[in-house]
Amino acid sequence: MQAEPKKSLVGVEYEVEIGPVAHGGHCIARTDTGQVLFVRHALPGERVVARVTEGEEGARFLRADAVEVLDASKDRIEAPCPFAGPGRCGGCDWQHAKPGAQRRLKGEVVAEQLKRLAGLTPEEVGWDGTVMPAEGDKVPVGEVPQWRTRVQYAVTPDGRAGLRRHRSHEVEPIDRCLIAAEGVSELGVERRDWSGMESVEAIAATGSQDRQVVLTPRPGARLPLVELDRPVSVLRVGEKDGGVHRVHGRPFVRERADDRTYRVGNGGFWQVHPKAAATLVTAVMQGLLPRKGETALDLYCGVGLFAGALADRVGEKGAVLGVESGKRAVEDARHNLAGFDRVRIEQGKVESVLPRTGITEVDLIVLDPPRAGAGKQTVRHLASLGARRIAYVACDPAALARDLAYFREGGYRVRTLRAFDLFPMTHHVECVAILEPAAKGS
């Protein structure tokens, strides 16, 4: 007999007590039958009416939105953004929380992930539990830092720019994004007709006046004549190859960090917060304390941000190897670091390139992996190289915790950990962990 389909619970409402924050921009609650609810737009300690947005009877957990607050937290504020809230724009998770409370919640998530996935306490990783705001981001309650230098707008079928709703392909049309950096807002993307486009990415460099839009047309659509409120370069995503191609203007923007200018081409990766690159370079270099003549690896190196900082500090007798999978990023990294004779950039996946290099020992390692982390195989290889210090830059606390557990198996302990709020109003948090051989710290 075929089993009966399970009954959807979407739209069902529960009155619940909100428990602790969880990784992903929501809090945990339970229905009166004990089923777990992941509730957005709520805060720990509140009593709310939660409406189910995903899930069915018997599911391990349900997703829900707090649609009515019966007993509010002292940390709750009215969301400054008119497009935030249940069923609306999914770009921000914590518009309804005071800025200090947001950082506290992020700290609780980092601590919980470290404990659950690595068995580590804040004390064991040399962290005081705080999440530091970036310079200039301490704003009064009710105000929002304008930090997002890259905004990916989705486009409605009738050509309006907007942002996607949470876990949905539906578009919430907007007339302004409060967290967008001034350089993005002043382009006026939201005021234009983008008929025929799938998406429009706006990029405002902070190291220069360079502005760029990257257009992704719908199949068969022609590019519009782009007339924005500021001079801007235009790129397009190819329909057949998925590559990014120049339409007019520069195919890159110029960014600045650590007294060096970096070329970032074709919409390539650069830290989104204006202060992020400088903040992270400082944290990494303070943790590693590079010495003249040392050898270093910069893994997942992008356009060479950390490789450049390392090369400056290890000097002419030192050497730096960067590894990056993206072809255009490698071209940019080689251009950006052309002034250093002892820097080499290799293209390919870290797990493939590292064994090919024949490197058996190194003094310092920086790794800044994608959200999924480095993984057991790569961490095991890195631990075998005997580095005196390793800097792990992480945008996902769960992946960081898993990899720290692997490093512990490889004989490394965390010397210090620092956490930075480089994504205000969202659940994302950036961490820098400095590791050293366990024997040294015992």
Side-chain angles (χ1 to χ4, degrees):
M1 275 179 65
Q2 195 170 15
E4 282 190 36
K6 291 184 177 177
K7 181 183 174 184
S8 170
L9 294 177
V10 173
V12 174
E13 294 183 356
Y14 297 96
E15 189 175 310
V16 292
E17 299 278 355
I18 299 297
V21 66
H23 183 31
H26 49 251
C27 297
I28 296 173
R30 288 184 182 272
T31 67
D32 48 14
T33 60
Q35 200 165 16
V36 173
L37 282 175
F38 288 160
V39 187
R40 281 172 59 82
H41 310 291
L43 292 170
E46 292 187 326
R47 187 162 190 81
V48 306
V49 175
R51 181 183 297 151
V52 176
T53 56
E54 287 181 49
E56 57 193 18
E57 284 184 345
R60 197 161 55 88
F61 63 86
L62 307 172
R63 295 185 184 276
D65 284 341
V67 294
E68 185 181 352
V69 181
L70 305 174
D71 186 8
S73 164
K74 63 177 177 20
D75 291 324
R76 176 174 286 274
I77 58 170
E78 186 174 342
C81 177
F83 306 105
R88 305 294 301 278
C89 172
C92 292
D93 306 292
W94 299 119
Q95 285 267 350
H96 59 287
K98 293 176 181 176
Q102 292 181 38
R103 293 191 286 272
R104 247 186 354 264
L105 292 169
K106 295 183 190 195
E108 288 171 19
V109 168
V110 173
E112 189 269 336
Q113 295 292 301
L114 287 171
K115 187 65 179 173
R116 187 166 66 85
L117 298 174
L120 293 168
T121 64
E123 292 76 21
E124 288 173 313
V125 298
W127 176 46
D128 64 5
T130 61
V131 175
M132 297 295 296
E135 181 188 337
D137 275 1
K138 275 201 165 185
V139 295
V141 170
E143 291 187 20
V144 176
Q146 296 173 268
W147 60 270
R148 194 168 186 92
T149 60
R150 290 164 177 247
V151 177
Q152 177 96 30
Y153 296 93
V155 179
T156 63
D158 63 353
R160 293 184 65 192
L163 298 170
R164 296 204 184 276
R165 292 169 184 154
H166 182 61
R167 293 176 62 82
S168 170
H169 292 294
E170 292 183 9
V171 180
E172 176 79 18
I174 64 170
D175 54 32
R176 185 187 169 204
C177 175
L178 289 191
I179 64 171
E182 187 178 349
V184 169
S185 295
E186 68 186 15
L187 293 177
V189 170
E190 301 95 335
R191 295 188 290 275
R192 298 295 187 274
D193 180 355
W194 298 102
S195 296
M197 297 301 102
E198 188 78 43
S199 68
V200 179
E201 183 178 17
I203 300 169
T206 51
S208 65
Q209 291 299 308
D210 296 344
R211 304 289 181 262
Q212 193 176 81
V213 294
V214 183
L215 305 178
T216 303
R218 297 181 190 275
R222 296 180 60 183
L223 286 186
L225 181 63
V226 177
E227 293 182 342
L228 293 173
D229 295 347
R230 294 287 187 277
V232 65
S233 298
V234 180
L235 287 72
R236 68 167 289 166
V237 176
E239 190 175 326
K240 293 179 181 176
D241 63 2
V244 182
H245 308 280
R246 184 177 76 89
V247 177
H248 70 75
R250 286 195 185 99
F252 58 84
V253 296
R254 293 161 298 177
E255 297 285 4
R256 187 120 183 116
D258 199 42
D259 296 325
R260 181 170 299 283
T261 298
Y262 289 85
R263 184 181 82 182
V264 185
N266 288 11
F269 175 77
W270 185 261
Q271 290 288 342
V272 179
H273 193 292
K275 302 291 185 182
T279 298
L280 294 174
V281 165
T282 298
V284 167
M285 295 303 131
Q286 285 177 347
L288 293 181
L289 297 175
R291 303 164 186 160
K292 297 292 184 188
E294 287 192 313
T295 57
L297 296 175
D298 179 11
L299 308 178
Y300 317 92
C301 71
V303 300
L305 172 65
F306 296 115
L310 286 165
D312 263 336
R313 290 157 176 82
V314 300
E316 294 178 3
K317 293 184 178 179
V320 180
L321 171 67
V323 180
E324 166 59 39
S325 61
K327 183 180 177 184
R328 179 58 203 246
V330 167
E331 291 173 7
D332 286 336
R334 288 171 177 164
H335 168 87
N336 294 333
L337 305 176
F340 294 108
D341 294 335
R342 302 269 288 166
V343 173
R344 193 167 97 248
I345 308 294
E346 294 283 345
Q347 185 189 347
K349 293 187 175 179
V350 169
E351 61 268 28
S352 304
V353 172
L354 263 188
R356 286 206 311 265
T357 64
I359 292 172
T360 57
E361 58 182 356
V362 70
D363 296 307
L364 302 171
I365 299 172
V366 179
L367 65 157
D368 185 3
R371 199 166 296 283
K376 191 169 190 175
Q377 176 189 342
T378 297
V379 169
R380 186 177 290 168
H381 189 138
L382 297 181
S384 74
L385 300 179
R388 71 170 178 84
R389 284 199 185 169
I390 298 172
Y392 189 130
V393 182
C395 60
D396 185 274
L400 171 66
R402 283 192 294 269
D403 283 346
L404 291 183
Y406 299 144
F407 270 114
R408 184 173 54 206
E409 292 171 11
Y412 277 79
R413 66 181 280 274
V414 184
R415 177 185 173 89
T416 60
L417 184 141
R418 297 172 72 184
F420 301 97
D421 189 15
L422 301 180
F423 309 91
M425 303 291 151
T426 79
H427 74 270
H428 299 291
V429 59
E430 199 88 9
C431 296
V432 176
I434 305 297
L435 298 93
E436 64 184 9
K440 184 175 180 180
S442 58

